[in-house]
Every structure is written in C-alpha cells, then in structure tokens.
Amino acid sequence: MPRIRFARLVCFLACLLAWGTGFAAAERKAISFQFVDLEGRQIRLADLRGKWVLVSFWAYWCPLCRIGIPSLNSLDQREDFVVIGVSLDYGGDVEKVKDAVAQHGMKYHAQVAGGSRRDADSPFRQVGPVDFFPSAYLYDPTGEIVMFIPGQLRKGQLLAFMDAWRSGKGAADIKPVYAMDLTRFEAALTQRHGSGGGQTFRQWNKLRDELRSADTDTKLARVNDYVNQRVRLRSDTAAWGKSSHWATPAETLGAGQGDSQDIATAKYFTLLSLEIPPERLRLVYASLRSEKAAGKAPVHMVLAYYPGPSQDPLILDNHDGTLRSASQRPDLLPVFSFNNQHMPPATADSPHGQAAWQQVLQRARAEGFE
C-alpha cells in the first residue's frame, strides 16, 4: 500500500527518485487538502468526512490512466465514495485539461488542474509523492490515508479493502495476498535443471514454509542470506554466455550462479512470494564508490526494502551480506530504482532496460510468480 539513498537524511532526500517510493499509507497522517477545481469550486477534505475519497493523479499521455476511467466513474457514482482527479504535467493551460476530461468521459466529483510537479504549490504536495502515472491515494471516511495505489486501479481489490475496513479489521491488519503457483515454479526448475532443480525447489520452498509466519525483518535477513549463499557471483558472459542477460528466479536459483542483478531479482520474487508488498521493494542500480573512484563503472544491483515513510530503506546486497539501512551504506551510490509497478528508465548504459525488465516479469509469471 502507500509511499514511498544511501547516506543520512540529506542524501536520502536528495536521492529519493533513485531509491523510489512505496509505502503503507496507513502509516502516514493525512493533510487536510484544499483544492480549486476546474469550475472554481473549493474542494476540501474536511467537507467530505463520512465518505471514501480517492485522489487520482493522471497525465494526458498516460495510457493506463485512460484504462482506469470506467472504474473511477463507477466508484464516483456510489453515495459513499468521491473521486477527485488531479491532472499533472499539463502546464498552465486549463483548457487542455478540460478538453481531455471531456474527451475521455471522466465523470468524477471534481477535476483539478495540477500544473507541473515542479511547482511549489502543486496539489500533490498536499497528498503524497507522485513518481509515475497513474497514482492514487485513498482516504477512509475519517479522513486518513489508508491506501496508496501505484499503477492501474483494481476496483475489486479496492472494494474488498473497504469491506474489510468496515468489518472492523482496520487497514493495518489487512495483509497483501500474492498469487504464487508453486507447481509451475517446481516444473520450471525441474525442466530447466533436472533432479538438481527439483532439489532446489524443495530447499527454496522449505525456506518459505519456515518463514511463512515470521516477522518482516526475519524474512528479509533469511532470504538475503539464502540467495547470497546459494548463488555464486558470475558475469552474464560466464553464467549465460551472453553479454547481457536478465535471469528469472528459476534460472538463477537453479543454476546457482548469476550477476548482482540476477541475485537481487531472485530475492525480490522470493520476498513477493512471502507476501512482502511489492510497493515496499525496489531493485536499485548502484555503483560501488570504491570502484568508481578507481575509474571502473560496474553494474551493481541491490534490493531495497522501505519500512516506513520517514525511515531509511534496508539494503539486501550480495557485496555486503549484512542487512543494513541505506544510511549505513555510504559505499553505495544509487543510480535509479524500479519494481513491477515502476519501469526502469532507459539509460545510455542500459537502453533496453524497460523491455528487458518487462520480459523478466513475463517469464517469471510463466514460472508461477503471478
């Protein structure tokens, strides 16, 4: 659920985009926002108490934003629900926003022209970070943020969450459910690596069974140790016979080898299978400060876990196997981060990063990681 570099607070804030975002929104006190919509009306959270309020951030160039419009229109028709759309990155031309709202049939309670995210008074600053589109924040009827929704909204999941909240469970007690097809993962390992793959699956699944009811810190530490010990660090050329290869969990764990990218990815999917929320995890490309100083620029990847909105992420790394917070890892220089909800950017060093990551996600789904 809700928000979300290495070196103490100043560096942490300076590197926020590289480390990424994603957190359980119930941990964050909401600001009582005040917007002015396209019709000049004052839209205040304080006036909407007793209703669920969804603030949905969108942009004109975002295809996923358009896909979610029917669901948002349907939600806004409910007596207990209000949808507020906030368009960002349109600049100051309100007429363009009005035209887009009309063209796409966005029939929400209110639409707000948010201008640029760089504006000091941009509306998103009253709600929460918006790193990509669409992004939405859900307020419960008491006026507190209880969910951050990065990416496409799933109406059924949202309604199930609301039902659980009403039943008295409360947002803090609602745990994510990650669909993991163990049969497919076992088959992928066995088909690829024979009897050794079957043994790998049994060891991996034994670890999952042991950690099923463990606390988060224990899950992070044990998974970090397991993958570090099982997978030998090798270059893509040595491991896969290719200059660049993004391996799936079955490839990496079955072969027992891979580069830091493969190792971090295996940890990522294993933790997802243990119901660690994906929005709390980010795969982070980084440089080792010592090697950069020596004139080298190796690709190094770590996995970051974000425990809370005001806390340093914890770093799972094969270079330093001890679980440490980002502020305790001044040897790392973050470059950019991503997960299954936020694609990596295309860079000079990795121009095909987005396509490669999407392929890994598709191949991992075929292995059972839904």
Side-chain angles (χ1 to χ4, degrees):
M1 293 177 206
R3 279 151 324 283
I4 319 238
R5 259 167 106 177
F6 292 141
R8 209 43 242 164
L9 183 59
V10 172
C11 183
F12 174 74
L13 292 174
C15 296
L16 182 59
L17 287 179
W19 280 109
T21 62
F23 283 107
E27 300 170 357
R28 177 181 180 274
K29 291 294 182 181
I31 299 173
S32 186
F33 62 72
Q34 298 185 48
F35 300 149
V36 177
D37 75 358
L38 296 179
E39 309 305 321
R41 298 179 301 167
Q42 291 285 335
I43 305 298
R44 305 192 311 160
L45 178 64
D47 296 334
L48 299 171
R49 292 296 173 92
K51 294 189 176 185
W52 295 88
V53 178
L54 185 79
V55 180
S56 175
F57 294 95
W58 59 280
Y60 71 97
W61 45 259
C62 168
L64 281 181
C65 300
R66 295 194 290 272
I67 292 174
I69 291 172
S71 292
L72 293 175
N73 284 341
S74 176
L75 287 167
D76 192 69
Q77 291 176 4
R78 294 171 57 105
E79 292 184 359
D80 62 345
F81 207 100
V82 167
V83 177
I84 300 171
V86 180
S87 64
L88 290 176
D89 295 348
Y90 266 96
D93 193 339
V94 175
E95 292 305 315
K96 286 186 178 180
V97 180
K98 291 182 177 180
D99 289 345
V101 168
Q103 178 183 351
H104 299 302
M106 305 171 79
K107 301 175 182 179
Y108 307 165
H109 175 78
Q111 283 284 358
V112 177
S116 169
R117 281 175 290 179
R118 296 182 179 181
D119 295 343
D121 59 349
S122 184
F124 83 89
R125 298 180 186 276
Q126 298 185 57
V127 181
V130 180
D131 289 332
F132 50 97
F133 299 107
S135 289
Y137 288 85
L138 178 68
Y139 295 76
D140 68 19
T142 72
E144 292 296 331
I145 291 177
V146 290
M147 183 181 287
F148 169 56
I149 307 167
Q152 188 175 354
L153 179 143
R154 308 292 183 184
K155 182 180 174 182
Q157 293 178 350
L158 187 66
L159 294 176
F161 178 92
M162 292 163 57
D163 288 342
W165 185 91
R166 289 192 195 90
S167 71
K169 292 181 179 180
D173 296 326
I174 299 174
K175 297 181 179 180
V177 177
Y178 185 80
M180 176 72 206
D181 190 328
L182 293 174
T183 301
R184 274 198 284 164
F185 189 51
E186 181 179 17
L189 278 165
T190 302
Q191 291 170 7
R192 187 179 296 275
H193 303 287
S195 60
Q199 182 178 3
T200 295
F201 172 79
R202 289 187 290 274
Q203 293 171 345
W204 178 85
N205 200 38
K206 180 175 182 292
L207 174 71
R208 289 182 68 257
D209 287 339
E210 293 172 354
L211 295 177
R212 193 177 305 279
S213 58
D215 59 74
T216 297
D217 286 345
T218 300
K219 289 179 179 179
L220 295 173
R222 291 282 303 279
V223 169
N224 190 50
D225 288 343
Y226 172 82
V227 178
N228 285 349
Q229 292 168 11
R230 174 160 191 88
V231 181
R232 183 161 54 109
L233 181 63
R234 301 191 73 191
S235 68
D236 280 342
T237 301
W240 315 113
K242 302 177 182 179
S243 61
S244 178
H245 180 69
W246 292 41
T248 65
E251 289 177 308
T252 302
L253 294 174
Q257 60 182 5
D259 64 7
S260 61
Q261 178 177 277
D262 302 330
I263 292 170
T265 301
K267 295 173 185 177
Y268 175 77
F269 281 105
T270 299
L271 288 169
L272 289 183
S273 77
L274 287 166
E275 297 187 356
I276 299 296
E279 56 268 22
R280 289 178 178 260
L281 297 171
R282 284 287 179 116
L283 292 153
V284 183
Y285 268 118
S287 297
L288 293 170
R289 195 181 293 268
S290 59
E291 297 197 12
K292 186 174 182 180
K296 302 177 183 178
V299 172
H300 186 64
M301 185 179 284
V302 299
L303 180 63
Y305 170 81
Y306 295 82
S310 61
Q311 296 175 273
D312 285 347
L314 297 174
I315 307 305
L316 288 71
D317 186 12
N318 64 291
H319 178 73
D320 181 344
T322 303
L323 203 64
R324 305 181 194 275
S325 66
S327 62
Q328 296 174 315
R329 294 297 308 274
D331 58 315
L332 290 173
L333 295 170
V335 180
F336 61 83
S337 66
F338 59 98
N339 58 17
N340 66 351
Q341 298 166 330
H342 189 192
M343 292 294 108
T347 67
D349 294 331
S350 182
H352 307 299
Q354 292 187 0
W357 176 236
Q358 288 176 332
Q359 289 174 9
V360 170
L361 291 174
Q362 292 172 358
R363 287 157 51 214
R365 291 190 192 102
E367 291 178 357
F369 291 91
E370 297 294 340

